Amino acid sequence: DIQTTQSPSSLSASVGDRVTITCRASQSISSYLNWYQQKPGKAPKLLIYAASSLHSGVPSRFSGSGSGTDFTLTISSLQPEDFATYYCQQSYSTPPYTFGQGTKLEIK
Amino acid sequence: EVQLVESGGGLIQPGGSLRLSCAASGFTVSNSFMSWVRQAPGKGLEWVSVIYSGGSTYYADSVKGRFTISRDNARNTLFLQMNSLRVEDTAVYYCARVYDSGSGSSFDYWAQGTLVTVSS
């Protein structure tokens, strides 16, 4: 099975900061990589699909890049509502659709 | 408007069975890929199962042979039958619609989640 590893596992930042989260796949997955945001007690929300496509309604300060094994999620200017946990998820070939372990973004 | 509403969670003893339901509106379950994802308390997300529009199903190794995903087209509802439940199956279970962009599958709409607690 394909594994995905996120880094860092936690991150402290301030409102207005530019933040980057990384996801690495255990083998090449082309652009089959998605990003989600989850707040405590809530269901995850899709942010980015196919590595760099912004899901409907997601603010443009979120962006994704990468292909092959290395991917990044960037938040260009952190807003108070962006403090949450972020997950990557790969969907290359047949299931399982594995998630990364998550990155908790906290207020500095 | 796409909406997913789950029901069926609760407290169950190890070895017991439980069936989760996920009622959909705003789209047709039988024409879509649908999935279950779970999250153990304080842990990350774990994909559990998917059913494709053609009826093919896949499962995580951790639940294979114990869980069954299915759908009722007339009721536009997705199910997860969970048998031989273990303590480690304790989690919030989410149903989610799968969006196939042509460059992979993502979960674009999620239900609110239902807690399954396996404990004696």
Side-chain angles (χ1 to χ4, degrees), chain A residues 9-104:
Chain A
S9 56
S10 65
L11 176 60
S12 295
S14 302
V15 172
D17 283 354
R18 179 183 180 90
V19 167
T20 297
I21 299 170
T22 297
C23 181
R24 175 164 288 178
S26 59
Q27 67 182 71
S28 178
I29 57 171
S30 185
S31 298
Y32 290 47
L33 195 284
N34 310 305
W35 291 97
Y36 301 85
Q37 177 194 67
Q38 186 182 32
K39 296 181 179 179
K42 300 294 187 182
K45 291 183 177 179
L46 177 63
L47 297 175
I48 302 286
Y49 64 94
S52 60
S53 296
L54 200 65
H55 182 54
S56 176
V58 174
S60 59
R61 62 181 180 273
F62 291 93
S63 64
S65 65
S67 66
T69 59
D70 294 317
F71 302 85
T72 58
L73 171 71
T74 300
I75 309 172
S76 60
S77 179
L78 271 176
Q79 298 302 301
E81 60 267 30
D82 299 337
F83 293 95
T85 299
Y86 292 85
Y87 294 92
C88 63
Q89 172 248 325
Q90 67 81 22
S91 64
Y92 187 74
S93 189
T94 54
Y97 297 138
T98 48
F99 288 90
Q101 79 277 19
T103 295
K104 187 173 183 179

Side-chain angles (χ1 to χ4, degrees), chain A residues 1 31-34 36 38 41-46 48-51 55 87 89-91 93-101, chain B residues 33 35 37 39 43-47 50 52 58-61 94 98-99 101-113:
Chain A
D1 294 349
S31 298
Y32 290 47
L33 195 284
N34 310 305
Y36 301 85
Q38 186 182 32
K42 300 294 187 182
K45 291 183 177 179
L46 177 63
I48 302 286
Y49 64 94
H55 182 54
Y87 294 92
Q89 172 248 325
Q90 67 81 22
S91 64
S93 189
T94 54
Y97 297 138
T98 48
F99 288 90
Q101 79 277 19
Chain B
F33 299 175
S35 205
V37 175
Q39 186 170 36
K43 302 298 183 182
L45 300 170
E46 180 188 15
W47 173 80
V50 65
Y52 290 158
Y58 292 87
Y59 299 91
D61 286 345
Y94 297 100
V98 179
Y99 168 57
S101 67
S103 295
S105 299
S106 57
F107 307 114
D108 64 345
Y109 288 94
W110 298 65
Q112 80 282 10

